[in-house]
Amino acid sequence: MPKKIRELKQILRKAGFTEKPAKGSHTKWSHPLLSGKLTLSGKDGDDAKSYQEKDVDNALKQVAKNQED
């Protein structure tokens, strides 16, 4: 069962990401240890697409890797 967009946002907030609103239902996420930004689209109650979950996982892994360095 896919996660909801609100769940992905919660995960990002706990990991120290900051949120900036973008156009429509899009939000841009940044982290000091992440090069670039992560964009999530969709309303909080929507099911997350598989690529969105992968993007969040990859961003979290990159932040964890950069913390080790």
Side-chain angles (χ1 to χ4, degrees), residues 1 9-10 20-23 28-29 34 39 41 43-44 49-50 53 55 58 62 64-65 69:
M1 183 162 195
K9 289 180 177 181
Q10 246 180 345
K20 290 190 179 177
K23 194 170 190 175
K28 290 190 177 193
W29 296 83
L34 181 69
T39 303
S41 62
K43 297 180 181 175
D44 285 349
K49 307 274 192 259
S50 61
E53 292 188 44
D55 287 346
N58 289 337
Q62 188 173 354
K65 181 183 175 208
D69 294 344

Side-chain angles (χ1 to χ4, degrees), residues 2-69:
K3 293 181 178 169
K4 298 288 186 186
I5 295 293
R6 81 170 64 84
E7 292 177 79
L8 295 181
K9 289 180 177 181
Q10 246 180 345
I11 291 168
L12 290 171
R13 282 186 194 107
K14 282 185 180 180
F17 282 76
T18 55
E19 172 184 7
K20 290 190 179 177
K23 194 170 190 175
S25 64
H26 291 69
T27 52
K28 290 190 177 193
W29 296 83
S30 60
H31 193 281
L33 298 176
L34 181 69
S35 61
K37 297 197 182 327
L38 172 68
T39 303
L40 279 181
S41 62
K43 297 180 181 175
D44 285 349
D46 293 345
D47 287 341
K49 307 274 192 259
S50 61
Y51 75 88
Q52 291 173 313
E53 292 188 44
K54 287 178 189 173
D55 287 346
V56 169
D57 286 340
N58 289 337
L60 293 172
K61 287 177 185 173
Q62 188 173 354
V63 167
K65 181 183 175 208
N66 289 341
Q67 282 178 338
E68 291 174 2
D69 294 344

